[in-house]
Amino acid sequence: MPEVVIRTSGLTKVYQETKVPVKALGGVDLEIREGEFTAVVGPSGSGKSTLLHIIGGLDYPTQGQVEVGGHHLNELNDRELIDFRLEHIGFVFQAFNLIPVLTAKENVEFIMLLQKLPAKEREARAVQLLQEVGLGDRMHNRPSELSGGQQQRVAVARALASRPQFILADEPTANLDSKAAANLLNMMAEMNQREKATFIFSTHDQRVIEKARRVITLEDGVIVSDVTKA
Amino acid sequence: MYLLLAWRNIWRNRRRTLITLASVAFAVFFSCMMQSMHTAAWGNLIDNAVRFYTGYIQVHQQGYWNDKTLDNSFENQPALQKKIAGSPHIVTVVPRLESFALASGTDRTKGTLVIGIEPEKEDGLTNLRNKMRGGSYLKTGEKKVLLAEGLAHFLKLSPKDTLVLISQGYHGSNAAGKYEIAGIVKFPSPQLNDQVVYLPLAEAQWLYDTGNRITSLSLLVDDPEQVEAITESLQQELNATQFEVMSWQEMMPELVQSFEIDRLGGEIILFILYAVIGFGIFGTFLMMTAERRYEMGVMIAIGMSRLKLQAVMFLEIIMLALGGTLLGVLLSLPVIFYLHYNPIPVTGNLAELYQNYGMEPVIPFSRKATIFLRQAYIVAIITSVLGIYPIWFIQRLIPVTALRN
């Protein structure tokens, strides 16, 4: 059985942005094993994105512990978290993932530049990944010249470029039509197999839920069900 | 790629970038023009003022400047003149003997300033020959005088008439002489025009019974900007207990003051101009950061360090500032060079006034490199200070908040 690579215990997040505190997570205990293809589902405001942000080292929990790939994220400072994200996490956001002034290939290369990989290696991997996501002929196009589905595929290629242990996707199909969403999900499932990365999605898209092998349901910041498909 | 990213970022809103570049370029162009005109005009004015009488530097017997009497004169030693003339940047050394006398014509008498000169050397410094309005210029060794036009008019004298001078000479001796008027000179300054009498140096020394003494050595230099250094170096070279070496700034403090007041006025105008431009640039920086808040959030989220993001933003700022400055300098260069070689002519009464002061009736322009460099560093300072805002913005950016927006 694959080892546990993500572990949260008593994870609580309270937003204090207005006078009334808002509890986004209310004590989440969770274990995710290496190579899982997991969907975190729930209605809007259930805490899906917050959970992903904390697992991805983008936010700190108010209470509780989070351990990702052996790193205790509560103990890392801002700079260490940036390094952690660069080396271990690939993010795919809902939209506007890409740097608009760079081409598809440059966007994919960019993350490897941050990792200080040699130019030849960067270029070869960017070309390979873009071909794998079916955009071999659009690699010199800027995001504004690509459709929403194509942009999300570039975002997946970029997320994979740094060879991360984890891919966190926050509602990746929210702005896509059915066909583009299906293409993206098939491609991500394939990548999950090929790149051996652990995928976690937040979504309330039924198509994503059907593809996932494990579905965790959140409501009002707590896990109400956790189903692993046979 | 960071450079490429910065370059493309500044062109993502082409119109805004062009407006920012144009505003910086305009400020630089306008400042260069103003500075060029101010530098050249004052350069001319100062050159004219010092050549008018004092020279850029004067050497006196210690204490003469505070107590201008013949008793504070010094021996005119050729070795001393040679030593000074041999110093770097010195073009001309002009000896003078100055004192006062009562000058009489046919039926009038007036107090006058009597200056003993070496006619050719004096002409080299003050262009005295060009100020002639009648008669002939002085010759070394002759027993004649040049009379200022106002004084000649008051005494009702003309060339070939006789002037009588009565005064007190060196160490209280009597001084009296009778001279033929060789010529009349005109000075635009009424103060000089109503009281100056020029004599050949040897004749003045005989009149005042000073022997081979003089009251000052006036010096002309080839680089007016080096006056302070030359003065200091001469003071060290000459015996400090015997001689005082003074720059034109010390001898004409009122001219320095006028220059400073005018310079300050210009600086205030430039400050207002740069403040307006600065707000424009700041507006651009505000937009650059506000519209890219989400994108910056993504970049930090995927692992770009704040320092690298700040460096990219700073590159954009430098490119904008440098681009605007270069554009401004490139625009002003041909205009200033053209106006330097083809100065704007002044006409009418103003032209006459310029000519009266021995100045060419034109508005001159300077093409000194420091004029352009100064604008570059002013823009660099302004943009660097304003650039603190985007740097601060990135430092404080919380990626998760930016992504939520």
Side-chain angles (χ1 to χ4, degrees):
Chain A
M1 200 175 197
E3 63 170 322
V4 173
V5 285
I6 297 175
R7 182 179 282 119
T8 72
S9 57
L11 207 59
T12 303
K13 179 70 184 180
V14 179
Y15 289 112
Q16 197 85 44
E17 286 171 5
T18 57
K19 281 183 182 172
V20 185
V22 177
K23 196 171 203 174
L25 292 177
V28 172
D29 298 314
L30 179 68
E31 283 187 351
I32 291 177
R33 293 183 182 277
E34 190 177 17
E36 277 189 10
F37 199 69
T38 304
V40 179
V41 303
S44 292
S46 58
K48 305 184 295 292
S49 296
T50 304
L51 179 62
L52 248 64
H53 288 158
I54 292 176
I55 289 172
L58 275 177
D59 207 353
Y60 289 100
T62 311
Q63 271 186 336
Q65 298 297 315
V66 56
E67 186 188 338
V68 180
H71 297 268
H72 294 274
L73 302 192
N74 308 56
E75 293 164 12
L76 303 184
N77 63 27
D78 180 64
R79 189 178 292 182
E80 289 165 337
L81 278 177
I82 289 176
D83 289 342
F84 163 78
R85 292 197 296 266
L86 180 63
E87 297 303 327
H88 300 282
I89 309 284
F91 277 107
V92 181
F93 300 104
Q94 192 172 325
F96 311 114
N97 269 292
L98 306 175
I99 301 166
V101 294
L102 299 182
T103 64
K105 183 166 150 268
E106 287 164 348
N107 261 288
V108 178
E109 272 189 70
F110 187 71
I111 198 137
M112 293 182 276
L113 175 76
L114 296 177
Q115 288 182 312
K116 298 181 178 135
L117 294 184
K120 272 191 179 170
E121 193 181 330
R122 286 199 314 253
E123 190 179 355
R125 182 152 172 81
V127 170
Q128 178 215 329
L129 282 168
L130 285 168
Q131 279 167 347
E132 283 174 10
V133 299
L135 290 171
D137 57 338
R138 308 302 300 270
M139 57 177 74
H140 299 298
N141 288 82
R142 289 200 188 181
S144 59
E145 296 160 343
L146 301 172
S147 68
Q150 287 170 330
Q151 286 185 35
Q152 289 301 69
R153 281 195 271 162
V154 177
V156 172
R158 185 186 65 188
L160 288 164
S162 59
R163 298 182 200 278
Q165 209 177 340
F166 309 96
I167 302 286
L168 304 181
D170 191 5
E171 309 218 20
T173 57
N175 292 321
L176 304 183
D177 59 41
S178 305
K179 197 178 163 195
N183 279 341
L184 184 74
L185 287 168
N186 288 334
M187 189 206 77
M188 289 172 99
E190 202 184 314
M191 290 295 184
N192 171 241
Q193 294 296 315
R194 192 183 301 165
E195 299 279 337
K196 305 289 181 210
T198 304
F199 276 64
I200 308 170
F201 308 89
S202 76
T203 186
H204 46 226
D205 185 338
Q206 197 54 41
R207 296 163 301 191
V208 182
I209 298 166
E210 282 165 13
K211 282 275 174 196
R213 287 190 288 280
R214 181 180 174 191
V215 179
I216 297 164
T217 310
L218 277 177
E219 268 179 35
D220 296 328
V222 292
I223 296 175
V224 292
S225 84
D226 186 347
V227 178
T228 304
K229 295 174 190 171
Chain B
M1 193 183 277
Y2 297 123
L3 200 65
L4 181 77
L5 183 62
W7 175 252
R8 289 190 189 162
N9 272 335
I10 62 170
W11 292 109
R12 60 165 63 193
N13 190 330
R14 196 175 291 266
R15 189 181 299 175
R16 190 180 61 211
T17 298
L18 286 175
I19 289 171
T20 309
L21 283 175
S23 61
V24 174
F26 169 75
V28 169
F29 175 80
F30 187 75
S31 314
C32 283
M33 295 296 291
M34 258 188 77
Q35 287 274 302
S36 166
M37 202 163 76
H38 183 267
T39 306
W42 272 99
N44 267 12
L45 196 69
I46 289 166
D47 187 64
N48 192 65
V50 300
R51 277 172 173 272
F52 196 68
Y53 191 64
T54 61
Y56 281 100
I57 298 168
Q58 278 193 5
V59 178
H60 316 121
Q61 173 76 17
Q62 189 62 258
Y64 173 79
W65 193 251
N66 288 329
D67 183 15
K68 294 188 186 73
T69 66
L70 289 173
D71 294 345
N72 284 329
S73 57
F74 61 99
E75 198 70 29
N76 184 17
Q77 310 151 18
L80 178 68
Q81 280 199 46
K82 201 175 167 189
K83 186 176 183 181
I84 294 171
S87 300
H89 300 292
I90 305 294
V91 176
T92 313
V93 182
V94 179
R96 288 188 188 133
L97 179 73
E98 292 175 36
S99 190
F100 296 91
L102 275 175
S104 293
T106 46
D107 54 3
R108 283 180 159 183
T109 301
K110 194 174 192 297
T112 59
L113 169 64
V114 178
I115 308 170
I117 58 170
E118 286 186 10
E120 293 311 316
K121 281 189 175 177
E122 185 69 26
D123 185 45
L125 174 68
T126 62
N127 294 322
L128 190 58
R129 202 188 296 268
N130 289 348
K131 297 182 177 82
M132 294 292 299
R133 292 293 179 272
S136 56
Y137 190 60
L138 282 182
K139 288 189 187 83
T140 305
E142 68 181 358
K143 198 178 163 68
K144 290 182 180 176
V145 297
L146 288 180
L147 214 54
E149 193 182 45
L151 180 62
H153 182 75
F154 179 83
L155 297 175
K156 297 177 184 168
L157 295 173
S158 308
K160 296 198 171 17
D161 287 346
T162 301
L163 177 80
V164 176
L165 294 173
I166 301 168
S167 185
Q168 180 180 291
Y170 186 54
H171 284 174
S173 62
N174 287 327
K178 196 170 77 173
Y179 299 98
E180 182 189 326
I181 297 168
I184 306 291
V185 286
K186 185 182 177 184
F187 297 103
S189 154
Q191 201 186 354
L192 285 180
N193 204 43
D194 288 344
Q195 63 172 1
V196 170
V197 177
Y198 282 107
L199 274 104
L201 180 61
E203 198 54 45
Q205 286 169 334
W206 175 84
L207 173 69
Y208 289 109
D209 197 21
T210 61
N212 189 31
R213 299 179 80 83
I214 53 174
T215 53
S216 68
L217 286 170
S218 294
L219 316 181
L220 192 62
V221 300
D222 58 4
D223 184 358
E225 291 196 353
Q226 299 295 322
V227 164
E228 213 171 308
I230 301 167
T231 308
E232 216 166 285
S233 139
L234 275 178
Q235 187 68 73
Q236 279 172 4
E237 267 181 58
L238 303 178
N239 183 351
T241 54
Q242 193 189 346
F243 297 106
E244 60 188 13
V245 183
M246 296 178 77
S247 65
W248 67 266
Q249 289 98 329
E250 291 170 276
M251 293 183 284
M252 293 190 282
E254 64 287 347
L255 189 63
V256 177
Q257 243 172 10
S258 305
F259 172 75
E260 283 303 318
I261 289 166
D262 192 55
R263 189 183 60 81
L264 198 65
E267 300 277 310
I268 289 169
I269 291 171
L270 287 185
F271 176 79
I272 293 168
L273 179 77
Y274 275 121
V276 171
I277 301 302
F279 281 114
I281 297 172
F282 188 60
T284 303
F285 291 173
L286 275 179
M287 297 290 286
M288 274 163 69
T289 45
E291 73 185 7
R292 278 155 59 190
R293 188 185 172 87
Y294 180 89
E295 188 183 314
M296 288 176 183
V298 170
M299 289 167 102
I300 295 174
I302 65 172
M304 187 173 193
S305 72
R306 290 176 198 275
L307 192 66
K308 279 184 181 149
L309 191 53
Q310 286 164 334
V312 170
M313 182 58 92
F314 202 71
L315 269 176
E316 292 174 36
I317 291 167
I318 296 289
M319 283 178 185
L320 274 177
L322 205 67
T325 308
L326 267 177
L327 200 63
V329 168
L330 286 177
L331 283 174
S332 58
L333 261 175
V335 179
I336 286 174
F337 265 73
Y338 176 80
L339 291 172
H340 176 75
Y341 293 108
N342 304 281
I344 300 169
V346 174
T347 54
N349 290 340
L350 195 59
E352 204 176 316
L353 190 71
Y354 269 59
Q355 278 164 333
N356 281 343
Y357 277 90
M359 289 162 73
E360 209 182 340
V362 292
I363 298 172
F365 284 80
S366 168
R367 57 182 172 85
K368 275 185 189 166
T370 48
I371 291 165
F372 304 100
L373 289 174
R374 187 166 180 261
Q375 306 319 311
Y377 79 68
I378 288 175
V379 173
I381 289 169
I382 291 172
T383 44
S384 301
V385 170
L386 296 176
I388 292 170
Y389 171 74
I391 304 299
W392 173 83
F393 179 90
I394 292 168
Q395 195 59 43
R396 307 249 316 164
L397 188 76
I398 300 167
V400 78
T401 312
L403 291 169
R404 270 212 299 272
N405 291 338

